[in-house]
């Protein structure tokens, strides 16, 4: 059972939320993500992808704050999705020292830079917003352990695709996990960039 092998804090939160049985997607994906491989996770809507993303991110960070630079990045399509995911993360990170931060295009880049400088663990952002920060030295990627992309279909649009390639070119050692409902040829192209030796989980 994947939930049994997760950090005690995560198990406690799942029990509180009365989530006792993993979905078929979670049973298949969580152990592989925990192994540290780069992974394409494709599954239908409501199969448990977002919860998997949250649980595996917290597991990777051992549910505790360390240093000031983000150790996990989650890219999303837009501000609305960023805020939704931020709230979802907070429901799991309460009573831990983990610091979750959300950034998006409408929030001035200087505000983001100063707030990130104070120290964060999990950074939720849109590709364009993160790329802008990255180019202005507003966010460090030196400590990144896991880089997840939520509902990755939005990356087939050229602007976000180019922004992601720009960000990932400078990341040396990190696990990448892409979540989507279907595999798109443009997503497969990432194998030539940062998704080398990736595995695919398809439910």
């Amino acid at each position: 059972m994947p939930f049994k092998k997760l950090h005690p804090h995560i198990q406690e939160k799942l029990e509180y939320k009365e989530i006792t049985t993993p979905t078929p997607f979670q049973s298949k994906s969580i152990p592989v993500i925990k192994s540290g491989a780069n992974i394409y996770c494709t599954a239908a809507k409501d199969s448990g992808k977002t919860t998997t993303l949250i649980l595996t991110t917290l597991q990777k960070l051992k549910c505790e704050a360390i240093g000031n630079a983000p150790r996990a990045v989650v890219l999303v399509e837009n501000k609305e999705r960023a805020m939704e995911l931020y709230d979802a993360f907070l429901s799991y990170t309460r009573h831990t020292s983990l610091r979750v931060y959300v950034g998006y295009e409408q929030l001035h880049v200087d505000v983001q830079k100063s707030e990130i400088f104070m120290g964060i663990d999990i950074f939720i952002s849109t590709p364009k917003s993160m790329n802008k920060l990255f180019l202005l030295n507003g966010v460090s990627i030196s400590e990144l352990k896991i880089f997840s992309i939520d509902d990755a279909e939005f990356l087939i649009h050229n602007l976000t695709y180019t922004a992601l390639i720009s960000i990932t070119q400078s990341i040396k050692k990190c696990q990448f996990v892409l979540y989507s409902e279907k595999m798109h040829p443009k997503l497969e192209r990432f194998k030539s960039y940062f998704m080398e030796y990736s595995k695919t989980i398809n439910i």
Side-chain angles (χ1 to χ4, degrees):
M1 295 288 282
F3 292 162
K4 299 291 184 194
K5 296 185 176 179
L6 294 175
H7 190 282
H9 172 80
I10 301 172
Q11 291 186 40
E12 198 176 294
K13 282 290 180 184
L14 289 168
E15 198 174 307
Y16 174 75
K17 290 171 176 284
E18 298 181 348
I19 301 173
T20 54
T21 308
T23 65
F25 170 74
Q26 290 167 341
S27 293
K28 198 170 177 183
S29 62
I30 290 175
V32 185
I33 297 169
K34 281 176 65 187
S35 77
N38 291 339
I39 307 166
Y40 286 99
C41 292
T42 58
K45 190 175 171 62
D46 298 324
S47 57
K49 295 194 294 293
T50 300
T51 302
T52 300
L53 188 160
I54 293 169
L55 299 183
T56 52
T57 300
L58 299 192
Q59 179 71 21
K60 193 84 168 181
L61 304 192
K62 298 178 181 173
C63 294
E64 62 182 357
I66 294 176
N68 290 321
R71 291 172 294 138
V73 162
V74 184
L75 287 192
V76 296
E77 181 175 11
N78 52 37
K79 174 187 174 182
E80 290 70 32
R81 183 59 187 145
M83 297 310 296
E84 277 176 24
L85 200 55
Y86 177 68
D87 289 340
F89 260 104
L90 288 187
S91 76
Y92 281 90
T93 57
R94 280 191 191 100
H95 308 116
T96 74
S97 56
L98 284 171
R99 299 153 297 178
V100 186
Y101 184 78
V102 62
Y104 42 85
E105 282 95 315
Q106 296 89 334
L107 188 59
H108 197 283
V109 68
D110 288 339
V111 173
Q112 293 185 63
K113 280 176 70 173
S114 60
E115 291 179 343
I116 289 168
F117 183 73
M118 302 295 286
I120 63 173
D121 300 290
I122 300 165
F123 181 37
I124 302 168
S125 182
T126 61
K128 282 165 67 179
S129 182
M130 182 172 178
N131 192 40
K132 190 173 182 181
L133 268 172
F134 180 61
L135 294 173
L136 294 170
N137 294 318
V139 61
S140 169
I141 53 171
S142 62
E143 301 299 322
L144 276 187
K145 293 182 176 296
I146 187 165
F147 191 116
S148 303
I149 303 173
D150 175 62
D151 293 335
E153 284 88 351
F154 71 89
L155 291 170
I156 64 178
H157 305 300
N158 286 334
L159 281 174
T160 51
Y161 187 92
T162 307
L164 177 62
I165 296 298
S166 173
I167 295 162
T168 55
Q169 276 178 335
S170 300
I171 298 174
K172 301 297 178 222
K173 277 182 76 176
C174 183
Q175 178 185 15
F176 292 91
V177 187
L178 267 72
Y179 297 86
S180 61
E181 288 186 27
K182 292 177 184 171
M183 180 61 89
H184 189 280
K186 208 158 184 179
L187 299 181
E188 289 208 48
R189 281 194 222 159
F190 292 138
K191 289 179 181 176
S192 305
Y193 296 97
F194 57 89
M195 290 295 284
E196 302 144 306
Y197 314 113
S198 58
K199 297 182 178 180
T200 301
I201 290 168
N202 188 9
I203 295 289

